[in-house]
Amino acid sequence: MRGEAYAAKGDTDHAVADYTEAMQRNPAAAWPYELRSAVHFDKGEIDEALDDCNSAVRLEPGSAGGHYCRAVVLLKKDDPDGAIREFDEVTRIAPAFVKAYLARAVAWHKKGDDKHAIADFDEAIRLQPGNSTAYNNRAAAFRDMGQHDRALADYNEAIRLDPGNQVALVNRGILYMKMSDAKHARADFNSVLALPPTDKWATDTAREGLGFLK
């Protein structure tokens, strides 16, 4: 837990030191490996992150955490098939693991299988109907499928649930541009720029969108 506190402060050296100490004190515990994997992942040390995930699965094969850890890393390594197999294991062990459905949907989308992606987004929303990100992500899938009305409905719900969701606001603005609705697109981009700049991609994209609309 102290390692997690260090990680939250951005002190990865002390975090890794504590995780390693936890491993030495309890060699059978998978959790420290999962936590250390997250540090490696954030630092771009993807092979090291996968090694730690593999250790977690080896120690506790019946735990969803290690499989989720490995699935996320495999997705980062552009192995959607491997990621889907691991996410399948996660949802088998823990059927209410919402993040697994959301991440598996991304893997399906990478494979070009938006039908399965939508099904996973549907399940995530069924399990957690107040999840703004789930609606935003499902909307993106609908948008890519050309189902603009369904995409707009999901973006509207994402923003209703979280009015400060800058990513959803930008995405809705982009959708309005696709729908040739410059007035509403401009309003969404301006709404993003009126908020504290907490998401660089959203801020940059909103400015770029306004430039196109001039």
Side-chain angles (χ1 to χ4, degrees):
M1 295 297 290
R2 187 174 69 182
E4 285 193 278
Y6 277 128
K9 287 168 58 69
D11 188 345
T12 56
D13 289 340
H14 277 101
V16 168
D18 271 351
Y19 297 152
T20 303
E21 178 70 16
M23 293 169 191
Q24 293 170 354
R25 294 188 181 213
N26 185 358
W31 190 27
Y33 287 96
E34 295 171 29
L35 294 172
R36 192 173 68 179
S37 173
V39 174
H40 286 310
F41 187 93
D42 290 342
K43 293 171 71 174
E45 299 166 354
I46 305 305
D47 289 335
E48 291 85 347
L50 183 58
D51 286 343
D52 274 348
C53 294
N54 289 338
S55 293
V57 173
R58 175 179 55 81
L59 289 166
E60 297 182 22
S63 171
H67 291 285
Y68 180 79
C69 173
R70 189 155 64 184
V72 170
V73 175
L74 289 172
L75 190 57
K76 180 69 172 180
K77 288 173 72 69
D78 200 25
D79 181 3
D81 290 320
I84 287 168
R85 285 194 296 271
E86 290 298 318
F87 286 131
D88 288 347
E89 193 66 12
V90 173
T91 57
R92 182 189 67 79
I93 296 168
F97 201 133
V98 173
K99 286 184 177 180
Y101 292 102
L102 292 174
R104 190 172 63 186
V106 173
W108 284 120
H109 182 68
K110 278 180 174 286
K111 285 172 60 68
D113 189 338
D114 283 322
K115 180 179 179 180
H116 276 99
I118 294 293
D120 272 343
F121 286 134
D122 289 346
E123 182 62 13
I125 289 168
R126 185 188 71 80
L127 290 167
Q128 200 173 74
N131 190 321
S132 175
T133 298
Y135 282 100
N136 173 73
N137 292 352
R138 188 174 69 177
F142 282 137
R143 183 189 66 200
D144 291 347
M145 294 167 68
Q147 299 183 25
H148 291 170
D149 289 342
R150 297 180 76 179
L152 182 57
D154 270 357
Y155 283 135
N156 289 342
E157 183 64 10
I159 294 163
R160 185 190 71 80
L161 290 167
D162 180 10
N165 188 330
Q166 296 179 23
V167 173
L169 281 165
V170 165
N171 280 331
R172 190 174 67 177
I174 293 170
L175 178 64
Y176 277 131
M177 287 179 69
K178 287 179 176 288
M179 299 171 70
S180 301
D181 186 342
K183 176 182 176 182
H184 283 99
R186 188 176 292 108
D188 275 347
F189 294 145
N190 281 325
S191 294
V192 172
L193 296 178
L195 293 168
T198 57
D199 189 293
K200 185 178 185 301
W201 175 84
T203 301
D204 290 347
T205 305
R207 289 199 181 99
E208 186 178 353
L210 287 173
F212 278 120
L213 292 171
K214 286 183 179 178

